[in-house]
Amino acid sequence: MKCVIWRSLFVCFMMFLGSAVAEPKTDVTVKDLLELEEVEQAAKQTNEINAFVGWDTFGRETPKSSMQGFLSAARQQDYQTASEYLDFRNLPFEVTAASQPEIARQLHVSLDRTLWVDIEGLSNDLLGKLPENVPDYRDLVGTIETPEGTVPVLLQRVPTSENKRIWKISNATVAKIPVLDKYYGYSEMGEWLSQHLPNYRFMGVMLWQWLYFAVTFLLYIVASCLSYWVLIKLFNAFKIKLSFYIDFLYAPLSFLTATLLTRNFSDTSNVTFAVKAVAEASTILIFAWLWFLWRTVELVKSKLTGKLVAQGKTHTTYLLRPAANVVKSLLVIAAVLIWLENLGFSATTIMAGLGIGGLAVALAAQKSVENLIGAITLYSSTPVKVGNLCRIGKFIGTVEEIGLRATRVRTIERTVVYIANAKFIDMEIENFSEREKMAFRPKLLLEMPQSNTQLSEFNKALKALLEQHELIDESPCRVYFKGFSPFAVELYVLSYITSTDFETYLKVSDTLHFEIMNLLHQHKLKLAAPELLQA
């Protein structure tokens, strides 16, 4: 089961890379949509200037200005003005049967859905001199493929009543608008929404399109939530352990599933280039994957914490939080870079621009990185744990916290010392809490005894005292005549109290010291006077 879970997580991560990093299906990005707004603003200013100086009122002097004018008017749903950019001469009856504004609207919808007009690629010359395989009096905007053949979108120089020449969308293209509308017009619902909702655009996408796909998305969210809820109930009923993981990931998993369903199974009859560009930015998809992977990191951290606690490695769990934060930070950075790339901005350029700043930050953070590595070393090698009593350099105290930057030690004087982790791991550390037992080694310097028997009997009595105590370890338990001092004899005493509790150690040693004093009195021995030792 564990192998299946880890493989599933790996597959999810690869799906994230495959869906979020995939190249856009169109050449249009959100960046292009933002630039288009600037172009339309410039076209509007140009038309106002032309009207003021008395030149063509609609700005149809060049192929570029004429196409700009048509698109600008159409996007404002001013189809009466947009029709002024179409050549309605010599058209078949099925075209003239519809009103001119309606024909302009149908063309605009078809262009929005099938052809991204590169305004900057059109000629800005009065004669339209860009080299193309069309007659001199025409300019090619692009071509649209239909089941009934290819439809070229052409601009053509036509005469006016003032004997001037202006550029309009060719009647050869206008004659094919019913064919374009047949295959690329909106659905009935799209037609109704576009005509009854306000003409508001955000990033090139109309308000009714935002609402249409938002409602679709919400329906898929509801369906996904219900599906996973039923799945959890079924797994619980059959006692399948996988239900825990689905329950833990319920919200992000439902959101991600709804996002994928919306992208792959939504109605495409109302999708325009602007909608595609926003969709290819994968903003919601990237957020959905980020939320899902973020929650997955929490799941892995939770499972590892439980496993380590069960194994008695509680101290190691302190590493999981910073490690999880590092993984989450990397996920956010990757998501932002992928998102910017999908928007049309070069993530490589952005990273290069941040390179110098990143180097400066890296140099400034060198000590912090050293301390972080020191913290990882302390948690992994565990020379000390929180709560241990240690001698660290010249300090003796209890370790209260091992942080990412420094370790906090409470000294026996109740003061607090902070030691940087990078320095801490290089210090000599004596860990008193790691003792399995505590040494009892009283130092005995006695005055010269009156006889050897007197000292020998004392040694036997002292050894018997230690051996009979319930908290004194059986081995080693040593009492020997070590040697001579100038005015005293020295005894060698070594034994261990079988407790690591310091309070217990003090009580036992206190009792033993009193007993040793009694033995000295019984055997008429005295401790050597300090003045004799210093003589």
Side-chain angles (χ1 to χ4, degrees):
M1 178 62 72
K2 291 182 179 180
C3 293
V4 172
I5 293 170
W6 285 112
R7 288 175 183 173
S8 300
L9 293 177
F10 176 75
V11 170
C12 288
F13 182 71
M14 296 308 296
M15 286 176 61
F16 162 67
L17 295 178
S19 58
V21 186
E23 290 294 327
K25 299 176 183 178
T26 66
D27 294 330
V28 184
T29 63
V30 173
K31 181 182 178 183
D32 296 325
L33 297 178
L34 298 176
E35 292 175 349
L36 179 62
E37 294 182 0
E38 299 178 1
V39 171
E40 289 182 349
Q41 186 64 29
K44 183 179 180 181
Q45 295 176 354
T46 301
N47 290 341
E48 292 175 352
I49 294 173
N50 289 339
F52 179 78
V53 299
W55 184 227
D56 182 61
T57 304
F58 299 100
R60 297 167 292 186
E61 303 88 353
T62 67
K64 179 179 179 180
S65 63
S66 182
M67 201 66 197
Q68 278 181 334
F70 170 77
L71 294 176
S72 180
R75 288 193 175 99
Q76 297 173 20
Q77 289 192 345
D78 184 4
Y79 294 115
Q80 183 63 50
T81 300
S83 65
E84 297 293 337
Y85 295 87
L86 275 61
D87 184 7
F88 288 99
R89 301 174 303 160
N90 305 321
L91 294 175
F93 174 76
E94 59 268 20
V95 178
T96 57
S99 66
Q100 293 183 358
E102 176 61 17
I103 293 296
R105 189 193 69 81
Q106 292 176 1
L107 176 61
H108 175 236
V109 171
S110 298
L111 291 177
D112 259 2
R113 298 200 58 215
T114 59
L115 180 64
W116 178 259
V117 178
D118 182 14
I119 295 295
E120 298 301 321
L122 298 176
S123 172
N124 202 29
D125 191 275
L126 296 176
L127 299 178
K129 293 181 179 179
L130 289 179
E132 294 167 339
N133 296 324
V134 294
D136 293 340
Y137 58 89
R138 285 178 173 172
D139 246 25
L140 180 65
V141 177
T143 59
I144 300 175
E145 297 294 333
T146 72
E148 298 182 20
T150 301
V151 177
V153 180
L154 300 167
L155 288 166
Q156 181 173 324
R157 293 185 71 209
V158 298
T160 65
S161 57
E162 292 86 8
N163 292 325
K164 293 182 179 180
R165 295 278 179 172
I166 59 175
W167 288 89
K168 287 187 174 184
I169 296 175
S170 173
N171 54 1
T173 300
V174 176
K176 294 292 184 180
I177 290 179
V179 176
L180 295 177
D181 184 63
K182 175 182 177 182
Y183 294 105
Y184 301 115
Y186 292 141
S187 65
E188 292 183 4
M189 181 179 291
E191 291 282 1
W192 189 90
L193 291 172
S194 64
Q195 295 176 16
H196 290 82
L197 290 180
N199 179 35
Y200 174 77
R201 287 174 179 263
F202 178 66
M203 290 193 299
V205 180
M206 289 174 284
L207 173 63
W208 70 268
Q209 290 174 322
W210 283 110
L211 294 176
Y212 179 82
F213 290 104
V215 170
T216 303
F217 182 50
L218 288 176
L219 291 175
Y220 276 123
I221 287 180
V222 172
S224 299
C225 290
L226 289 175
S227 299
Y228 284 116
W229 180 80
V230 171
L231 192 62
I232 291 172
K233 294 297 183 182
L234 290 174
F235 282 177
N236 285 334
F238 290 99
K239 297 182 179 180
I240 300 176
K241 294 182 179 180
L242 194 60
S243 62
F244 168 79
Y245 300 96
I246 298 178
D247 190 33
F248 196 94
L249 301 170
Y250 177 74
L253 189 59
S254 300
F255 190 82
L256 176 60
T257 302
T259 304
L260 294 174
L261 291 174
T262 303
R263 287 174 63 88
N264 293 287
F265 298 103
S266 293
D267 181 18
T268 59
S269 61
N270 299 308
V271 174
T272 62
F273 266 95
V275 173
K276 290 180 182 179
V278 173
E280 295 300 340
S282 302
T283 304
I284 296 179
L285 179 62
I286 291 173
F287 172 78
W289 274 114
L290 179 61
W291 188 13
F292 175 77
L293 294 175
W294 185 288
R295 191 67 175 156
T296 302
V297 172
E298 289 290 329
L299 173 61
V300 173
K301 187 180 79 170
S302 175
K303 297 298 290 184
L304 288 177
T305 299
K307 185 177 180 180
L308 291 172
V309 170
Q311 294 175 352
K313 300 179 180 179
T314 308
H315 57 281
T316 310
T317 59
Y318 293 105
L319 270 181
L320 295 179
R321 183 177 179 182
N325 290 337
V326 170
V327 174
K328 290 177 181 178
S329 300
L330 293 176
L331 287 175
V332 172
I333 293 173
V336 170
L337 292 177
I338 292 171
W339 181 61
L340 290 174
E341 191 73 35
N342 289 347
L343 288 179
F345 301 94
S346 176
T348 304
T349 304
I350 295 174
M351 291 295 291
L354 295 175
I356 297 177
L359 179 61
V361 172
L363 292 175
Q366 183 178 0
K367 289 294 182 182
S368 298
V369 173
E370 289 180 359
N371 290 328
L372 176 61
I373 295 174
I376 295 174
T377 303
L378 287 173
Y379 280 121
S380 58
S381 61
T382 61
V384 296
K385 302 175 185 177
V386 174
N388 284 174
L389 176 65
C390 306
R391 177 184 285 111
I392 305 166
K394 61 181 181 179
F395 301 104
I396 296 178
T398 303
V399 178
E400 290 192 336
E401 180 186 6
I402 301 176
L404 296 180
R405 190 196 69 82
T407 298
R408 186 176 69 197
V409 179
R410 176 80 62 177
T411 67
I412 56 177
E413 288 81 16
R414 307 308 297 163
T415 60
V416 175
V417 178
Y418 291 90
I419 306 173
N421 291 332
K423 182 179 179 181
F424 188 89
I425 58 177
D426 291 330
M427 299 177 70
E428 292 185 357
I429 303 171
E430 185 178 1
N431 194 334
F432 299 116
S433 297
E434 292 294 322
R435 296 177 295 194
E436 79 282 7
K437 49 190 176 181
M438 304 177 72
F440 178 70
R441 302 181 64 181
K443 187 175 182 180
L444 295 176
L445 291 172
L446 308 179
E447 289 183 0
M448 193 67 65
Q450 296 177 359
S451 67
N452 294 344
T453 303
Q454 186 181 11
L455 182 59
S456 176
E457 292 297 329
F458 173 79
N459 287 354
K460 291 179 181 179
L462 178 55
K463 187 172 183 179
L465 171 68
L466 295 176
E467 290 177 342
Q468 292 172 4
H469 197 286
E470 59 181 2
L471 290 181
I472 295 297
D473 199 1
E474 294 180 358
S475 179
C477 184
R478 300 166 183 161
V479 179
Y480 292 102
F481 178 18
K482 183 178 180 181
F484 297 96
S485 293
F487 299 96
V489 294
E490 183 178 357
L491 301 184
Y492 173 78
V493 181
L494 174 63
S495 61
Y496 288 94
I497 299 174
T498 57
S499 174
T500 57
D501 180 66
F502 190 65
E503 190 68 25
T504 301
Y505 168 79
L506 291 177
K507 290 180 180 179
V508 172
S509 62
D510 178 73
T511 301
L512 291 175
H513 283 133
F514 277 111
E515 294 291 340
I516 291 172
M517 288 181 63
N518 290 334
L519 290 177
L520 290 173
H521 292 312
Q522 291 175 13
H523 292 83
K524 298 180 181 180
L525 293 173
K526 295 182 180 180
L527 296 176
E531 58 270 17
L532 294 178
L533 297 176
Q534 297 174 1

